Structures are given as C-alpha cells and as structure tokens.
Amino acid sequence: MIGNAVFLLLALAVLAVLMSVAYTTTTSAALPLAGAAAKQSTQSPSTTGDPWIPLHSQAPGDILAAARQSALFQESRSGTGDQVHDLSRLGRPVLVSALRPAGVSAAEVPDFYIVPILNQAGATTDAAELALNPAHTAVQVIAIVTYTVPRTGGSVALLSADQATRTVASQYPEAAQPIRQPYLVYFPLDPAWQASQNGQNGQHVWLAGGALPADPVWLVTAAKGKQYLAGDDGKTYDLSQLPFWKG
Amino acid sequence: MTHAQRVALRISVVLLVAAGALLATVWHGAIGLTPTVQAVPNNPGASTGAGNFYGADTTMTINAIKSIWPQVGPSCGIETAEAAVNYNDEVRGVGLRFRSTTDQKVVARNNQTSGASQWGYPTPINAYGGVTNISRDVGTDPRSIAYMEWNYTPSNTFYHDYIYRWQFANSSAPSFYTQVLQATTSMARGLATWHEPLTSQINGGLHSVLVTGVYSYNDPRSAYPAQITSVVYRDPMAYYTVSRFEASIGTWAGGHFSTPYGVYSLWSLYYGDRASAGDGKNTSDPEPAVGIYKPTPSQPIHWYRGFTWIQRDNNWANGTWNPDWAYTSTGAKMTAP
C-alpha cells in the first residue's frame, strides 16, 4: 500500500515539474525580467506600425472602405474608456492638400483624406486622418482626433468656401472672383515658433487654423495666381506669413 | 519501506521542491512587475480581431482637466501632474485638488521653496520646476513631475518615474520601432493596472502629455511587446479646436504628427533628442545634474536614449515611496544612472 503511494507520489511530482516548466516558459515570454533577454512577439501587425491600404478609386465609398480596413476602425469601442465610442456614422471624405515648405517631402507632410465621424444629429464630433501616399493610391489611418466643439453639418472646416472667399476678398478685392475653386489645405506649424510665442505671452498665438489636416482652411487663388489663406480667426494670410515647420 | 521506495520518495520530494521553486521564481518576477490592483479591459470577451482599450475613463478625464488647462508657458509638466492628481481625487471620491488655470502658478510658486530631492537641486533654478528638478530643465523634469503627483495626492498614493532603455529588456538592440513598442507596452501596463492617466514625455522631452489609454490586440500585462495599435492622449496645450488625439502606433513611433501646436515627433525621438533619434541635442531637457542619477563616465545616460513616463504604483516598502527613485521599465529600482 505504502509502496504504491510512493510511486504515485513520484508520478505526480514528475507531472508537477512538467507543468511548472510549461507555465514558466509561457510566462517568461510574456514578462521580461530585469536583465534578461525578452522574447519578441512575432504577432505585431506591422514591423513599422501602420500598413498602407490601397485605394480602389478616389470615390467616397472606396475611401471609407479603405478606412474601415485599418486597425483604428477595427477597435472595440465599448465601455467608458477615453475613446471615440461610435464610428458607425461617417461623413463624406474631404481631400486636404499639404502646403509644404521647400525641402520638406510629401512623405513627411502628406496630403490627407479626412473622414468626418458624426453623431446622431449629423455634427462632426471627431475626424479620422488618412494620410495619402505621394501617388494618392493608398492611405494610412494615422489618427482619430476629437474636436473640442462638434462641427455642424458634417463639415471639417469651420468656414465654407464662400465664406472663405468673402473673407479674403474683404481685404484683397481681386480675390472676389477667384481664378480657381478654393480648396482645403493644412500646413506644418513650427512647434518652436508656437512655444516661443507661448513662453512670451502665455497664450496660443496661432488661432487661424490649418495646422492639422483635421482642421483645414481654404486656400483662395486670386487674379495673377496670388494665393491667400482664409483663417478661422477672420484674417487673411499671405503664404509667406505662415510659421512653417522646416523639418 | 524498501530501498526503491525510499529512492522514489526522495526523488519525489526533490521534484516537488523544484516545481515549487520554478513557480515561485515566475510569481516573484510577476509580482515585481505587476502592482496588486488587477483590472480587465473594457471588453474582455471581444475577439482577438479587435483591439481593446486599456486605460482611463472619458468623463473622469474631462473632469480632471476641464478647469485647469491650458498650460501657460512651459508648464506642461505641472499641468499634466495636476490632471493626474485630480483624476486620482475622483477615484478616491474626494474633492478635486486643482480647480483653476491659476493653480499652475501656485504650484510653480510652491516649487521654488519646497520639494527638493534628497540629493538637492542644481542651480540656478527656474520659475516652474524650481527646487524640485534634479536637472537644469527649462520647465519640470520627470523627477519634478513624480514629486508633484506624489505630493498633491492623498497619503499612501505613490508615483515614480519609469524609464525604458532597450538594455533593460534585450540582450541586443532591437529595431527602433520595437523599442517604442516595448516601451509603450510597459507604459500600457500602468494604464491597464491602475486605469488612471499617466504623464508621458514626448518630442524628445520637450513636452509632456496626459496619456489616457492604449488600444491593443492583446493584454499588455501579459504580452511583450503587446500588439498595440494606438495611443490616446490629451495635450495640456489644448482647448483649441482639438481636445483628444488617438495616434496610431505608427504615428506614435514615427512622428511628423501635425497638431494645433506644431508638428510633434512624439516617441520618434528618445528623451534628450532634438532632430533625430539618438542625437542627444536637446539642451532644454538635460540629464540630472545632482544625485545618484547624474551620469558618470562609466554610466553616461539616465533619461537619454530611452523613453520615460510617470505613473502610479505600489512601490512604497523600505523607503521606496520616495518620488526621487526612478524605476526601469521592467520594475527594478534604479540605484545608478
């Protein structure tokens, strides 16, 4: 009787060691101990982050379909976490072109499609930023940003094209009849410039908008090709006045 | 008992002790890394095809920041610390410690005379971090932020600076992207464990933001690196057009992120960098100048060539409550740079 119990105990001990080894192996892969080499996960969705998603066409439906393939559109958004909770209502994507200073590439400052994310009332509460490759054949969903105040009517720009034209024309009458349709732009704002201004007077000084793709402004092209930016602050800006980030 | 039975009994005892030792080793490592409060993702039953959110609550986050932001001058560290304190007050069900944008000036003024580290402070002091800095930072350095969060939260609430360098978790240098993913995973463990926002230094250390969550395909408390898809943060510069940013992991690691406050590099630069990863040319956020973390010829870096954040933890035993102490991303108390 005792003999059988001893050998049964031995069997259980062997089993315990095997199970411990298996558990240790699994856990070590998950928890890196100080000074030890960590095992790397091989399941990362991409080796550099965000994959490029091909666009079948520039049609709104194809742009939205591409956006929905991204990781950001496939996240579980239930619960009370600090997140956008509903991506089911999407507005019409808008093209936002980049104003690039000399020496800055389209890879660094790309053009974008902005997808409005709407609430039940149809206001834009958030926006998905879809960076375009230089050929405009693929997108990366690089961010979702939340507006401080929802924008009306599914828009992403604070002004309409007509309002922007009137704003510019009030200061430059030759812009009353633009020689091409106004279009939405953003430009890379120099953070050092902003910080230096903030340090001096304690206030944000660039209030004209256009510093990020989700907050675009209208570029109005007047006679002789002169271009003006219609700021959200009601002012008109010559492109040479913009505090560009230089890379 | 026969000889064979005696041998079998001894082998059994040895094997059971070995099994116990193996499990104890693993559990000890896990305990060292994982604070006692356990939490679950918002949607634990979701399929692995969807990233889950790990982090803080929306309403509580808004309540924590809405009366105290935006920052004035280089007060990002103060403002994110105030937000973390307010959030913890909400968790504890007590009144918010900070209720006005002018509180940042009060905290900055307090920093001029109290809160120095056990190692003192470098001179001259500035108008923001004051004596709470251990470096000649133009604003507040990570030690200062850890001190403010500890100082203004109720008793027995502990915060420390955590530092990721690839050497803490690897025998050879992984790709920069993998380093970011590993560091973000370590940061996410704090979010997943405490469900409170934390302060993260970005843009080469030039700026601090309140990181409120991450999305990940798997649980960052058990996966390393986790399959993180995005990082959610609030910017103390904010209250102008955009209030919350959910940056994809590629953006978080790659930078070139256009914001209302300029183009952010996020974690595409190490702490202490200015233009490219590893350049160490950020003169606004230097290394410690006093104390045990001051670089030496044999250990020339502390914050540099790594990423850092300040989070709540349970490190209080044996004097480790002191916010002077920094911890590695793997949970070890740092006793040298």
Side-chain angles (χ1 to χ4, degrees), chain A residues 97-175:
Chain A
S97 301
L99 297 175
R100 300 181 195 94
V104 173
S105 69
E108 292 176 295
V109 183
D111 297 334
F112 277 82
Y113 277 120
I114 302 300
V115 175
I117 298 167
L118 312 176
N119 61 16
Q120 286 184 322
T124 308
T125 57
D126 310 87
E129 296 187 332
L130 282 57
L132 280 153
N133 65 352
H136 287 203
T137 56
V139 295
Q140 286 178 322
V141 181
I142 67 143
I144 293 175
V145 300
T146 301
Y147 295 114
T148 304
V149 178
R151 302 189 168 188
T152 57
S155 64
V156 294
L158 282 176
L159 301 179
S160 69
D162 288 344
Q163 289 173 318
T165 301
R166 286 197 295 272
T167 296
V168 174
S170 67
Q171 188 170 347
Y172 300 97
E174 70 271 25

Side-chain angles (χ1 to χ4, degrees), chain B residues 200-212:
Chain B
S200 177
Q201 281 63 56
I202 62 168
N203 299 354
L206 283 173
H207 195 38
S208 295
V209 293
L210 194 71
V211 174
T212 59

Side-chain angles (χ1 to χ4, degrees), chain A residues 62-119:
Chain A
D62 284 338
I63 297 166
L64 296 180
R68 287 194 171 100
Q69 292 180 46
S70 68
L72 270 63
F73 272 78
Q74 294 179 27
E75 290 163 340
S76 173
R77 294 181 177 274
S78 60
T80 61
D82 193 25
Q83 57 188 322
V84 182
H85 294 285
D86 187 357
L87 300 184
S88 64
R89 288 180 291 272
L90 302 179
R92 185 182 179 87
V94 295
L95 176 65
V96 177
S97 301
L99 297 175
R100 300 181 195 94
V104 173
S105 69
E108 292 176 295
V109 183
D111 297 334
F112 277 82
Y113 277 120
I114 302 300
V115 175
I117 298 167
L118 312 176
N119 61 16

Side-chain angles (χ1 to χ4, degrees), chain A residues 139-225:
Chain A
V139 295
Q140 286 178 322
V141 181
I142 67 143
I144 293 175
V145 300
T146 301
Y147 295 114
T148 304
V149 178
R151 302 189 168 188
T152 57
S155 64
V156 294
L158 282 176
L159 301 179
S160 69
D162 288 344
Q163 289 173 318
T165 301
R166 286 197 295 272
T167 296
V168 174
S170 67
Q171 188 170 347
Y172 300 97
E174 70 271 25
Q177 299 295 326
I179 61 173
R180 64 173 287 192
Q181 184 70 21
Y183 60 100
L184 290 170
V185 298
Y186 83 102
F187 73 99
L189 174 65
D190 183 1
W193 178 86
Q194 180 84 322
S196 66
Q197 301 298 309
N198 181 269
Q200 288 170 15
N201 60 21
Q203 299 295 321
H204 304 311
V205 288
W206 186 257
L207 302 175
L212 71 162
D215 185 32
V217 291
W218 294 97
L219 191 69
V220 178
T221 306
K224 299 180 182 178

Side-chain angles (χ1 to χ4, degrees), chain B residues 297-321:
Chain B
S298 61
Q299 293 178 295
I301 54 173
H302 178 57
W303 292 311
Y304 278 34
R305 289 192 174 258
F307 305 101
T308 190
W309 64 95
I310 293 89
Q311 68 162 83
R312 191 178 168 193
D313 63 23
N314 262 345
N315 293 327
W316 58 272
N318 301 319
T320 56
W321 58 267

